Amino acid sequence: MSVDIAGFTSSHNERPPAPVPVDWEAVEAWLGVGLPGDYKRLAERYGPLDLGEYFWIHVPCVEGGRFDYGEWLRETHREARIDARDLPPEERFAVHPEPGGLLAWGCTRGSDTLFWDTSVAADPDEWTVVVRHQGSVPGSGLLDWHAYDLTLTEYLRHAVRDTWELPSPPGPLMGPVSGSVARTAFLPTAAPWTPPAAVPPRLTGAQRRVALESGTGMDALRLLSPPPERPYLGGGTWEGLFAELGTRLPGEYVRLMDLYGAGSWSEWLRFLTPLRTGERRFATHVEAVLGAYRSSRGRFPEQHPLKAWPEPRGFLPFANSIDADHLGWLTEGDDPDAWPLVVWPRHAPQGAALEHGLVDTLVAWQRGTLVTHGLAGLDEEDDPLEFAGFEAWDDRAHW
């Protein structure tokens, strides 16, 4: 086996690879395992790498807002852990940080994910490759896992070839790709990555039980997602908003917004800024969402059974997700405090109105106990406190 990939690759003319310093002792201590020598040599010589304009080989680095090695591993391993449950128990892979678990090292433009199988040997230099294919590779089937008796360098060498007709290990062929190696295009100024320091638990054991088990209402919500010191609602007044809309809004919503303001819950659910004035005010967002809903309902009425506010029992949105789901009320009756919550899901059938009020719904959702169309759920092995949180916006926010 070659000590690195130099024997079958050549540098890209416009984006030549460039190394990023790595503190391997710190990285391996944070991971809890050593790493293969060929991978470390690759990282030291090339840095984050685009191979054949198809493979992205990730190394410990960071680029603000685009990539963080530790976050990428955490998210990739979480997705792999969830996906692996679809396999029969006898074929299921463990995933890092479980002992012998898969450890990610790259991905492809076809959304395949590349791992080492750390269970095959105590020596990292003997770890072989496992690929989570997304169905784009001939012979892979749909969303298939395949293990290869190849190390990282051997696997890449297998992908950089001139023809499909080469002896290959069992499993779908990846490639052939060119031997061009380039600095990953979305990491042009990648910097050294520092493993995050250990963080003590945010809550005591007693507080954790209240947050996740015994607490209710605002007491539990405050523990799950502490409110900001300065909530941002915009420069208007509730009375002005109610006058513009022609209706009050539920008192529970007003109290929640007065405490938290506009912002993002769990980096996913975004509450519109209610009292902003000018072009981007609450009413204009509502009009835009309902315009899209009416258009969709006109084309696909069976999939969009709700009426649109201000029709009686119409849908009045006040929040959206990063996946374009919308949370709002069914405006049935003259008492806004009795309006039920409803979700207009982007990628699922329309469900019934939710059973609980806004605060209890947020509590159940952040605890991972609410299962409903349109609100992203937690995995059974997730720690809800790792995902709960509220990020307050200011006057620069679009929503």
Side-chain angles (χ1 to χ4, degrees):
M1 181 184 70
S2 302
V3 295
D4 59 33
I5 62 175
F8 53 90
T9 62
S10 58
S11 179
H12 192 284
N13 290 331
E14 297 178 3
R15 287 188 289 112
V20 177
V22 179
D23 183 342
W24 293 113
E25 183 177 354
V27 169
E28 291 174 328
W30 180 79
L31 288 170
V33 292
L35 290 169
D38 60 346
Y39 171 74
K40 291 194 284 188
R41 288 187 290 270
L42 180 152
E44 290 168 354
R45 178 167 181 171
Y46 300 100
L49 198 62
D50 183 337
L51 171 64
E53 299 184 353
Y54 191 76
F55 291 91
W56 287 316
I57 302 169
H58 293 315
V59 303
C61 68
V62 62
E63 178 137 354
R66 294 186 177 183
F67 182 81
D68 178 282
Y69 175 73
E71 286 299 309
W72 175 73
L73 283 181
R74 185 178 72 87
E75 293 169 7
T76 300
H77 290 160
R78 177 178 182 267
E79 293 174 4
R81 186 185 72 218
I82 295 170
D83 290 344
R85 291 205 195 96
D86 292 335
L87 296 171
E90 66 275 10
E91 299 177 14
R92 197 170 297 162
F93 294 96
V95 180
H96 187 81
E98 290 186 55
L102 299 181
L103 178 59
W105 54 266
C107 56
T108 75
R109 292 179 186 267
S111 298
D112 313 283
T113 311
L114 308 159
F115 303 89
W116 289 292
D117 184 352
T118 70
S119 70
V120 297
D123 183 356
D125 290 336
E126 298 179 17
W127 291 349
T128 52
V129 170
V130 171
V131 182
R132 170 60 162 158
H133 290 295
Q134 293 292 328
S136 59
V137 179
S140 70
L142 180 63
L143 299 178
D144 242 344
W145 297 83
H146 288 281
Y148 297 86
D149 188 23
L150 298 170
T151 63
L152 177 148
T153 300
E154 292 170 340
Y155 184 84
L156 296 179
R157 180 66 187 92
H158 172 68
V160 177
R161 61 186 190 277
D162 298 325
T163 176
W164 292 93
E165 305 299 330
L166 283 180
S168 63
L173 289 168
M174 191 82 82
V177 300
S178 75
S180 169
V181 288
R183 165 59 72 93
T184 305
F186 60 86
L187 300 176
T189 59
W193 178 77
T194 302
V199 178
R202 179 168 62 84
L203 302 180
T204 66
Q207 290 173 325
R208 182 182 175 91
R209 287 189 291 274
V210 172
L212 298 180
E213 300 171 18
S214 63
T216 59
M218 203 67 81
D219 289 341
L221 189 62
R222 283 175 175 268
L223 288 172
L224 285 164
S225 299
E229 293 183 6
R230 296 180 179 83
Y232 174 70
L233 287 85
T237 64
W238 287 113
E239 291 75 14
L241 175 62
F242 298 163
E244 181 178 20
L245 295 174
T247 180
R248 289 190 304 110
L249 296 179
E252 184 180 34
Y253 168 75
V254 174
R255 292 188 294 274
L256 179 74
M257 297 305 292
D258 282 340
L259 180 61
Y260 283 90
S264 176
W265 295 84
S266 299
E267 300 182 354
W268 190 82
L269 184 60
R270 306 176 295 196
F271 275 44
L272 303 178
T273 307
L275 305 183
R276 179 186 280 132
T277 58
E279 294 183 4
R280 294 181 294 156
R281 63 192 189 280
F282 184 91
T284 60
H285 285 302
V286 169
E287 291 168 2
V289 172
L290 293 181
Y293 187 85
R294 291 188 184 98
S295 176
S296 297
R297 189 182 184 196
R299 290 178 294 162
F300 309 104
E302 69 284 354
Q303 299 176 22
H304 300 81
L306 305 178
K307 297 179 180 179
W309 180 82
E311 295 182 65
R313 206 172 185 273
F315 174 57
L316 174 55
F318 64 87
N320 61 38
S321 79
I322 62 175
D323 296 318
D325 310 283
H326 292 271
L327 176 65
W329 300 283
L330 286 182
T331 58
E332 53 187 18
D334 296 328
D335 181 9
D337 291 333
W339 291 348
L341 291 170
V342 67
V343 179
W344 171 26
R346 176 67 177 85
H347 301 289
Q350 179 66 57
L354 305 185
E355 296 182 4
H356 302 291
L358 180 56
V359 171
D360 286 340
T361 294
L362 284 173
V363 169
W365 176 61
Q366 294 208 319
R367 283 175 171 172
T369 59
L370 177 67
V371 180
T372 186
H373 291 317
L375 292 181
L378 296 178
D379 180 61
E380 62 188 46
E381 295 186 39
D382 288 336
D383 180 353
L385 290 180
E386 290 185 12
F387 292 85
F390 179 78
E391 178 185 0
W393 291 343
D394 58 24
D395 57 2
R396 295 170 293 182
H398 176 72
W399 301 101

